[in-house]
Amino acid sequence: MKAIRRFTVRPALPERLAALEHLAGNLRWAWHGPTQELFAEVAPDAWREFQHDPISLFGQISQERIDELASDDDFVHRANALREDLSRYLSEPRWYQGLEGDKPDLIAYFSPEFGIAAALPQYSGGLGILAGDHLKSASDLGVPLVAVGLFYRSGYFSQALSPDGWQQETYPVLDPDGLPLRVLRQPDGSPVIVTLSLPDDQVLSARIWLGRVGRVTLLLLDSDIPENSEELCHVTDRLYGGSEEHRLHQELLLGIGGVRAISAWAERSEVRPPRVFHTNEGHAGFLGIERIGDLIRGGLSFTEALQVVRAGTVFTTHTPVPAGIDRFDSALIRRYFETELLPGVSVDDVLALGREPGAGPDGAFNMAVMGLRLGQRANGVSQLHGDVSRRMFSALWPGFDIDDVPIGSVTNGVHPATWTAPQLTELATRNLGTADTANADWASTAVTDADLWSVRNRMRQELVWDARRRLKRAWLAQNPGGIAPDWIDTVLDPRVLTIGFARRVPTYKRLTLMLHDTERLRALLLHPERPVQIVIAGKSHPADIEGKRLIQKVVEFAKDPAVRERIVFLPNYDISMAQKLYPGTDVWLNNPLRPLEACGTSGMKAALNGVLNLSILDGWWNEFFDGDNGWAIPSAVTEDAEERDRREAESMYDLIEHQIAPRFYERDSDGVPVDWLRRIRHTLSTLSPQLSADRMVSQYVTTLYRPAFDSTSVLRHDGFREARRLAEWKSRVTDAWSGVSIAHVESGGLDVAPQVGDELHLRASVRLGPLTPDDVSVQVVYGRSTMNGDDLRDVQTADLAAADGAQASESGEWLFAGTVSLGHPGGFGYSVRVVPNNALLDNPAELGLIAVA
């Protein structure tokens, strides 16, 4: 008989071991090496078997082992010392506390998924891992975050392979009582419940699971409770599954329910609710409408409330293609927002926020468009992705050049303590006096080439052992009762150049590019002097049939007895596998279709361990490749997809055969690859600080969170006085803009042959209708002119000023004047534009209004 529910019964730990409960209750153990070492000592096999999960570990140890540990004075002393260390970590001032000036007391961070530890499988891929690393670095830096997500009872899915290599999904049900989470409760002990009114008099209810990620509070909403109907219990069943309406339920609960969950938690924690909200991708976008509703019920109009919410919202987009954006049928949105879901908020105002430019009233409701309209500050996740995003969403700001579209970039980072192998950390601690591998002096002679090579070899050996163990487990699951074949014990060779490729498997990431010429690949794998081996992992979305076919093709190729010891596909890619895979490889391969990789953080995690990257110049690699930290696969410029793949695959094979393998196998008399290690040192020294999530989070704080806090604080002051004034000003300027134009531009001050250092004098006559010069900026836009067109490069702007006391002419024209210094030889061009001007705007393009000469 099958159990209808499973849960873990943990032993009662004696008082002498109370520190273990304290340590397990905070997810800092997921990245704190000394705490992990202590847990591993409790039961090494169980620690490895349960994916480094202390809660499950405690459910497996015997009373005899508990008594043994309790009587071990040294173990008890170390556990107590680690508990004291955790207490200091949670309370001592850190980087954020040392920042001078005004800053947010609390910042809300919303994400549909969080990848914090393998034991808490609430992630599907890079977005969730990024969110988990964001929380970890925020904790390390002392940034006061409260994070909000959903608790998925079945997470994403567990992956297995059929005998013919087809991906098979299962959804193991998680027991939250067996995780480092607790229910947020009322003073009387009953659970806090948030509710959402739905059509047909339904009510969606959710309880709140509370976790601690170091100093960061994590709130996860769970709809699987008795208060809900059976259908609504399944709202949080699994990540990225179900129908369009099911996804809408999830996103309403995440956004609207998440804001309500924060309010409930803040009240019980006696802290002020946050004023700055960070929306990590569009899934949580409804949080902005919930906050608008709160302000409307407090007395503001919709447009006034919108200014306040926009000022305090940061929106991060992760998708480089329109197809990756969530869209909902407008009739479905109307049906849900015509209920009592958000009293006081007009459904037409909601629909207008998500309407795509140029679409009619029945057009699709676009979550990313809503996110950009609700967030005054927006960013992509690499410099290249920022440019792609500005192009993709430029229709929201018609008339502005692509570079003027108000979407910036903060390149993603990864959490070093999570992703750096313990062997490398031990080397840095022993030889360089620091466990901070991201900022250690890897150029120092205190670390010899022999030291570094020994560690790299040990990490590769760890990967080989782990891969064999996983392959054997997968074979036995596929063949119950059988005996695993001997060849699995010889899969991979710890002495061979190892290439890693692991990530989600959509078609644009081109998992099978390596198979483009299978004979060429065989020759690389089986080279008699310079062999190569490849370790591959990744999951395809359950509905992505083509992605599953790509996995099947790789598995079929790897079955060949001639190459099966040189190329392997490891099923069920997750955090625990990644922590062996990234450091254990020598080269990390990434070959997406440029520019479809928004960032691609897997290569970052590898680089933190001294792994060299082999990648298309896309995502983060486009801005960090320098010629010594790896290799760039040239992107073929052709409209023929087959020809493009052929060229790029050939380039990849050539790089491996003629540059990568020879350098790896070129050894000195001591068997050390000196040039290879030079590149490893260079990678560790130059990339590690830049790829750290600490850099990313600190950049969010200084360029986005603090400015958002300043903006919303101004608008909230004195009963929202400035918010009301800003809303009135925007309305007035928008209504009057059709009357704004540039009547005439004249220039002078230059000789017949202008020279560097000369000044160009400009005068512009501008019609403003009912507006005044205080409402606008008249700007000269200038730069290098191109040979074959009117487009400008290296563009700069300078304001033209209206004379003091100036008045409009009888024809209604205002005169603006200024000068531009000619700083560079060569082609020069300029134009003049008029844009709205208000100190409370973050960007002159914010209103999407412009008049050009």
Side-chain angles (χ1 to χ4, degrees):
M1 181 178 293
K2 293 185 178 181
I4 62 171
R5 185 176 177 227
R6 296 180 296 121
F7 54 87
T8 301
V9 180
R10 287 180 280 165
L13 297 178
E15 181 60 31
R16 278 175 62 83
L17 297 179
L20 293 181
E21 289 275 13
H22 189 77
L23 292 169
N26 189 306
L27 280 157
R28 189 182 73 143
W29 55 256
W31 71 91
H32 191 244
T35 303
Q36 292 179 357
E37 292 168 9
L38 185 79
F39 288 146
E41 191 174 328
V42 171
D45 290 341
W47 176 247
R48 185 167 53 250
E49 179 68 22
F50 289 103
Q51 299 185 318
H52 299 181
D53 171 13
I55 306 298
S56 296
L57 175 73
F58 293 160
Q60 297 299 315
I61 55 178
S62 66
Q63 189 61 49
E64 291 77 14
R65 180 56 176 158
I66 292 172
D67 295 340
E68 183 181 348
L69 292 170
S71 63
D72 185 336
D73 290 341
D74 178 65
F75 182 88
V76 171
H77 172 75
R78 283 184 288 128
N80 289 334
L82 285 169
R83 177 171 60 181
E84 292 172 5
D85 175 74
L86 176 60
S87 296
R88 286 193 298 273
Y89 172 86
L90 297 176
S91 60
E92 67 186 5
R94 303 186 78 82
W95 170 81
Y96 187 83
Q97 285 66 43
L99 294 178
E100 296 182 355
D102 293 336
K103 53 184 181 285
D105 296 327
L106 189 64
I107 300 154
Y109 181 89
F110 281 63
S111 178
E113 49 178 299
F114 290 94
I116 298 165
L120 190 63
Q122 302 291 300
Y123 60 94
S124 70
L127 178 68
I129 300 298
L130 179 277
D133 284 5
H134 195 109
L135 303 194
K136 294 171 184 176
S137 276
S139 174
D140 291 343
L141 295 171
V143 180
L145 286 191
V146 55
V148 181
L150 301 180
F151 179 77
Y152 304 100
R153 279 300 172 119
S154 297
Y156 192 41
F157 65 85
S158 293
Q159 179 196 51
L161 298 175
S162 69
D164 65 352
W166 193 255
Q167 173 179 290
Q168 297 176 317
E169 303 94 19
T170 57
Y171 292 86
V173 176
L174 300 175
D175 170 25
D177 293 321
L179 299 171
L181 303 171
R182 62 181 177 84
V183 173
L184 181 65
R185 297 189 180 277
Q186 304 277 13
D188 64 4
S190 62
V192 172
I193 302 293
V194 298
T195 60
L196 281 70
S197 297
L198 302 183
D200 303 322
D201 296 323
Q202 292 189 96
V203 175
L204 172 59
S205 302
R207 65 180 161 185
I208 305 162
W209 291 99
L210 188 150
R212 295 290 294 172
V213 186
R215 298 166 70 115
V216 171
T217 296
L218 173 64
L219 306 176
L220 300 175
L221 282 77
D222 178 9
S223 70
D224 190 8
I225 58 176
E227 288 84 350
N228 284 325
S229 65
E230 182 177 358
E231 178 188 1
L232 294 181
C233 281
H234 291 298
V235 166
T236 55
D237 56 354
R238 59 184 63 170
L239 186 58
Y240 302 145
S243 65
E244 179 185 17
E245 191 163 12
H246 183 79
R247 290 289 298 276
L248 179 60
H249 285 159
Q250 289 188 336
E251 299 189 8
L252 291 171
L253 181 59
L254 175 59
I256 297 173
V259 174
R260 295 174 185 178
I262 288 179
S263 297
W265 166 79
E267 180 181 343
R268 281 145 193 81
S269 304
E270 298 182 343
V271 299
R272 292 175 57 186
R275 291 187 173 180
V276 174
F277 285 73
H278 184 175
T279 307
N280 189 40
E281 197 44 90
H283 308 287
F286 290 119
L287 71 86
I289 303 178
E290 164 70 5
R291 293 167 58 214
I292 286 173
D294 282 342
L295 292 169
I296 288 174
R297 292 186 288 275
L300 297 185
S301 69
F302 177 86
T303 54
E304 292 165 348
L306 176 61
Q307 310 315 313
V308 179
V309 168
R310 273 180 49 79
T313 300
V314 174
F315 175 70
T316 297
T317 175
H318 289 261
T319 180
V321 290
I325 298 170
D326 271 349
R327 289 177 170 86
F328 295 105
D329 185 90
S330 60
L332 185 64
I333 297 295
R334 180 174 293 279
R335 179 168 176 261
Y336 273 78
F337 282 89
E338 283 180 337
T339 66
E340 290 301 306
L341 178 62
L342 288 179
V345 179
S346 161
V347 66
D348 289 328
D349 285 334
V350 173
L351 288 168
L353 288 171
R355 185 172 296 128
E356 297 173 348
D362 297 327
F365 186 88
N366 185 308
M367 294 296 288
V369 166
M370 180 177 68
L372 290 165
R373 287 186 174 132
L374 286 172
Q376 190 175 37
R377 292 164 179 86
N379 68 283
V381 291
S382 69
Q383 290 180 5
L384 179 59
H385 181 236
D387 182 62
V388 169
S389 298
R390 286 188 288 275
R391 294 178 186 278
M392 186 163 68
F393 295 110
S394 61
L396 288 168
W397 295 275
F400 284 90
D401 291 342
I402 296 298
D403 290 342
D404 291 323
V405 170
I407 301 175
S409 65
V410 176
T411 301
N412 284 343
V414 295
H415 188 246
T418 296
W419 301 109
T420 304
Q423 295 91 336
L424 194 65
T425 303
E426 290 165 8
L427 176 62
T429 303
R430 182 176 66 250
N431 292 37
L432 301 175
T434 178
D436 182 5
T437 57
N439 295 292
D441 181 12
W442 290 107
S444 169
T445 56
V447 174
T448 68
D449 280 356
D451 292 331
L452 192 53
W453 186 234
S454 174
V455 165
R456 290 290 313 142
N457 286 333
R458 285 163 53 203
M459 292 191 290
R460 195 184 312 108
Q461 178 70 74
E462 285 276 343
L463 169 58
V464 170
W465 287 338
D466 189 62
R468 291 172 180 172
R469 180 176 63 86
R470 290 177 184 276
L471 287 173
K472 184 172 292 187
R473 181 195 300 165
W475 192 94
L476 292 172
Q478 205 177 78
N479 302 272
I483 299 175
D486 292 341
W487 64 264
I488 291 181
D489 293 328
T490 57
V491 161
L492 305 179
D493 184 333
R495 300 165 297 178
V496 168
L497 169 63
T498 304
I499 297 175
F501 184 105
R503 52 189 47 86
R504 288 186 307 109
V505 189
T507 53
Y508 79 86
K509 291 181 183 283
R510 296 193 295 181
L511 169 64
T512 56
L513 187 68
M514 65 182 75
L515 301 181
H516 189 81
D517 183 342
T518 54
E519 291 309 309
R520 184 89 186 267
L521 178 59
R522 287 176 195 273
L524 292 172
L525 297 173
L526 302 175
H527 194 285
E529 297 171 358
R530 298 189 297 273
V532 171
Q533 60 192 11
I534 306 177
V535 184
I536 305 164
K539 294 178 177 180
S540 178
H541 188 282
D544 185 358
I545 301 302
E546 187 55 37
K548 293 181 181 182
R549 287 198 184 101
L550 298 180
I551 292 174
Q552 186 178 45
K553 288 178 182 178
V554 169
V555 174
E556 287 174 347
F557 179 83
K559 280 183 177 180
D560 183 346
V563 299
R564 67 188 178 193
E565 294 181 9
R566 287 284 183 265
I567 181 168
V568 297
F569 184 92
L570 301 180
N572 207 31
Y573 179 45
D574 65 1
I575 288 175
S576 64
M577 181 193 295
Q579 288 174 323
K580 298 290 186 184
L581 181 52
Y582 295 133
T585 56
D586 300 293
V587 173
W588 195 258
L589 175 62
N590 191 27
N591 45 237
L593 286 173
R594 189 180 192 270
L596 301 185
E597 185 80 278
C599 185
T601 55
S602 62
M604 292 181 166
K605 302 177 187 93
L608 290 181
N609 291 280
V611 176
L612 306 181
N613 275 266
L614 169 62
S615 177
I616 294 286
L617 285 171
D618 200 5
W620 75 276
W621 192 235
N622 186 68
E623 66 194 83
F624 285 112
F625 169 65
D626 66 7
D628 259 355
N629 51 19
W631 294 267
I633 302 171
S635 297
V637 181
T638 174
E639 296 297 320
D640 186 328
E642 186 173 338
E643 175 64 12
R644 176 204 61 217
D645 287 354
R646 185 193 67 78
R647 292 183 192 176
E648 295 181 6
E650 289 296 329
S651 296
M652 177 181 66
Y653 297 140
D654 286 343
L655 286 168
I656 294 171
E657 181 177 4
H658 301 300
Q659 296 193 38
I660 297 172
R663 282 181 169 85
F664 179 83
Y665 286 107
E666 183 180 345
R667 311 290 168 87
D668 66 8
S669 58
D670 295 321
V672 174
V674 176
D675 184 64
W676 191 269
L677 287 165
R678 179 187 63 79
R679 290 170 180 266
I680 289 176
R681 287 183 189 270
H682 176 73
T683 293
L684 291 171
S685 298
T686 61
L687 279 184
S688 295
Q690 292 301 312
L691 302 185
S692 169
D694 287 359
R695 183 271 310 153
M696 173 188 72
V697 172
S698 62
Q699 192 175 347
Y700 272 109
V701 168
T702 55
T703 65
L704 294 167
Y705 295 163
R706 292 186 77 175
F709 178 71
D710 292 341
S711 295
T712 195
S713 296
V714 169
L715 295 184
R716 288 174 175 273
H717 182 66
D718 193 16
F720 300 98
R721 181 184 61 188
E722 292 300 321
R724 299 177 196 276
R725 292 175 60 182
L726 179 61
E728 185 278 328
W729 178 85
K730 283 187 174 182
S731 177
R732 179 168 57 84
V733 170
T734 300
D735 291 343
W737 199 258
S738 61
V740 175
S741 64
I742 299 172
H744 180 68
V745 176
E746 59 185 49
S747 62
L750 297 178
D751 291 333
V752 175
Q755 298 180 355
V756 172
D758 286 350
E759 288 191 336
L760 172 69
H761 296 267
L762 291 165
R763 291 159 56 93
S765 298
V766 179
R767 298 187 183 95
L768 297 179
L771 302 180
T772 72
D774 291 338
D775 294 318
V776 302
S777 287
V778 179
Q779 300 173 332
V780 55
V781 183
Y782 61 96
R784 298 179 184 272
S785 61
T786 58
M787 293 289 293
N788 300 317
D790 298 327
D791 292 335
L792 299 177
R793 295 183 293 109
D794 303 326
V795 172
Q796 301 180 65
T797 62
D799 288 335
L800 303 181
D804 291 339
Q807 298 290 325
S809 67
E810 292 183 2
S811 60
E813 296 174 5
W814 296 81
L815 185 63
F816 292 79
T819 60
V820 173
S821 178
L822 305 183
H824 301 282
F828 178 89
Y830 73 89
S831 185
V832 175
R833 72 181 186 184
V834 185
V835 292
N837 177 49
N838 189 298
L840 295 175
L841 298 182
D842 184 61
N843 186 287
E846 189 170 314
L847 272 68
L849 301 175
I850 188 171
V852 296

